[in-house]
Amino acid sequence: MAIKIYGSFRSPFAMAAGLAVYEKDQEFELVTMNMKSPEYMNNFNPFGKIPSYQDEEIILFESKAIMRYVATKFEGQGTPLLGSTVHEQALCNQWLEVHSHSFTPLIMDIFRTIFRNPEQPDASVLKPALEAFEKVLDIYEARLSASKYLAGDSYTLADVAHTPFFYMFNALADEGSQKILTSRKHVYAWIHDISSRSAWKKLTDRPDNTYYKRS
Amino acid sequence: MAIKIYGGAKSTCTGRVLITLFEKEVDYELVEIDLSKGEHKSPEFLKHQPFGQIPYVVHEGLELYESRAIARSVAEWYAKQGSALYGSTAHEKAQVEQWLEVEAQNYNPAISSLVFQLVFAPWFGKTTDEAVVAAQTAKLESVLDIYEKRLSEKKYLAGDFFSLADLSHITYSYYFIKIAGKGAIYDSRPHVKAWIDGIFARPSTQKWLKLAGFAQ
């Protein structure tokens, strides 16, 4: 059975799962289901969220669990994603947690504010949301001035997790907001690097991945 | 000394790391960071943990933070000793990672908010926001409904073996159930109750409770 990913590429979490599969030189079928349907919740994800993953051996949910499984199952194929040294493996774990607990909540606040009023996001909410996010970006800037990727010299799942969120930010945020990235030299170079990868281009070239193309 | 931890014995996140070390039978040294004096926000501390949070650890020249990352790494480094916190097969490990993510993404937001409102806010002289308590309790109950179904099929979250996924729930759950006294929503779900009673009773949990000064 080929790999199936359940979800849509409106979700950065589904994109991260797809990116991990492509980085390991595998293919997948994207399947859309109503994530709140009994069929989906009973068979794929009781929390009624996307993505879920299915292959001949397993059904999994939670994007980071999917990414880790794919990185391990296809070890030796495509790009190594778990780090080349004991230190990198540990720091990959660390930066995946940072992504979950410090990065994602703040960038999702920004996205929600923009989604509520795309033409003119509420500045009284957006401004503090951007400021809070910038404090976290300062920490990333310090890290990435010492290290090419988050875990060290090697590109890992920690970087994979971030790419779709910057893609969304690029599509959704106005020019003024974009400055918070362009003004941070090492963050900006890192975003450019991880967004230039052929696996990422393959994902964004998919005809079912049209939600965040800047017109 | 295998691992040096900078944190607080009473702290939920430091506790997550400590219980992992106890399960893996690893030697450690705990350096208490004085939160009441704001030590975790000092420039010196921020050099090690730039988010100003405890714990961080030092192991063989590596500094590492985020308690779930530390716990995962300890489980890997000491895979051959102590409890098999990742199970015994690749399939079992995948299940552990799934339920560890469930804890981080679905359980933790509700329970950490509740523990803050019910325990930490009063400790620091702030008022409890009852609207937040009501909303987060409802969220936690819908998560516990899913746990009740899962735990009626398997003894533990990842399967019929205790794993890092179960362990990750212990410290915040203890604060909510035993310190805030809000265990009714666990008691009313028989499989959840059996599960939480079981993981609280583990020697490693008891060892943490003693170190934290919570043991009866």
Side-chain angles (χ1 to χ4, degrees), chain A residues 28-105:
Chain A
F28 66 88
E29 183 193 338
L30 185 73
V31 179
T32 313
M33 274 180 83
N34 177 359
M35 60 179 132
K36 304 297 181 191
S37 66
E39 196 199 338
Y40 183 76
M41 290 175 74
N42 289 333
N43 294 301
F44 297 100
N45 186 341
F47 293 88
K49 292 187 193 175
I50 55 159
S52 295
Y53 167 100
Q54 182 177 28
D55 67 20
E56 72 283 357
E57 290 176 334
I58 205 167
I59 291 174
L60 283 174
F61 57 92
E62 289 298 340
S63 61
K64 292 188 169 77
I66 294 167
M67 288 159 58
R68 286 174 182 277
Y69 173 76
V70 164
T72 306
K73 176 168 178 165
F74 301 107
E75 203 151 19
Q77 295 183 56
T79 312
L81 293 176
L82 295 168
S84 322
T85 65
V86 170
H87 282 205
E88 284 187 347
Q89 285 158 14
L91 290 171
C92 176
N93 286 336
Q94 175 184 290
W95 285 97
L96 282 170
E97 290 301 310
V98 169
H99 179 269
S100 289
H101 301 291
S102 298
F103 179 91
T104 297

Side-chain angles (χ1 to χ4, degrees), chain B residues 65-191:
Chain B
Y65 55 84
E66 284 291 345
S67 62
R68 293 173 189 81
I70 299 166
R72 283 184 171 92
S73 294
V74 167
E76 298 273 11
W77 298 333
Y78 299 98
K80 295 194 175 77
Q81 64 187 66
S83 308
L85 295 178
Y86 267 127
S88 318
T89 65
H91 199 281
E92 287 182 348
K93 186 172 187 188
Q95 294 292 330
V96 174
E97 277 295 346
Q98 175 181 278
W99 289 95
L100 196 39
E101 283 298 309
V102 166
E103 184 274 318
Q105 307 291 350
N106 298 291
Y107 189 85
N108 182 67
I111 201 150
S112 62
S113 173
L114 285 165
V115 167
F116 177 81
Q117 291 297 333
L118 296 168
V119 182
F120 298 140
W123 277 2
F124 296 117
K126 297 191 165 89
T127 41
T128 298
D129 186 337
E130 295 297 344
V132 171
V133 171
Q136 295 301 325
T137 302
K139 285 200 169 119
L140 182 60
E141 287 209 74
S142 51
V143 172
L144 291 179
D145 285 339
I146 296 169
Y147 281 24
E148 180 63 17
K149 179 158 191 284
R150 174 63 178 172
L151 293 165
S152 68
E153 293 158 7
K154 298 285 177 188
K155 190 165 184 227
Y156 296 98
L157 289 173
D160 290 322
F161 61 98
F162 175 80
S163 78
L164 203 51
D166 310 288
L167 189 160
S168 203
H169 289 77
I170 292 170
T171 57
Y172 269 107
S173 302
Y174 189 87
Y175 265 82
F176 183 71
I177 294 169
K178 300 293 187 187
I179 297 176
K182 298 291 185 182
I185 61 175
Y186 292 73
D187 292 341
S188 61
R189 294 166 169 88
H191 297 92

Side-chain angles (χ1 to χ4, degrees), chain B residues 198-212:
Chain B
I199 66 180
F200 281 176
R202 290 182 75 84
S204 56
T205 306
Q206 294 299 313
K207 195 168 170 184
W208 170 63
L209 292 173
K210 197 159 171 220
L211 194 66

Side-chain angles (χ1 to χ4, degrees), chain A residues 115-186:
Chain A
F115 285 139
R116 252 178 238 127
N117 201 339
E119 294 309 308
Q120 201 159 352
D122 184 343
S124 71
V125 179
L126 188 59
K127 186 164 179 285
L130 287 166
E131 281 167 3
F133 187 53
E134 284 198 86
K135 289 199 168 71
V136 169
L137 288 177
D138 285 340
I139 296 171
Y140 278 68
E141 180 63 15
R143 173 57 183 163
L144 293 162
S145 6
S147 163
K148 185 168 190 217
Y149 295 104
L150 288 173
D153 291 331
S154 308
Y155 174 77
T156 68
L157 287 180
D159 309 290
V160 171
H162 287 81
T163 309
F165 290 82
F166 291 121
Y167 180 65
M168 285 175 70
F169 190 87
N170 182 257
L172 297 171
D174 65 21
E175 230 181 282
S177 304
Q178 302 280 350
K179 286 203 178 80
I180 71 173
L181 298 181
T182 56
S183 61
R184 289 171 170 83
K185 183 173 130 182
H186 297 93

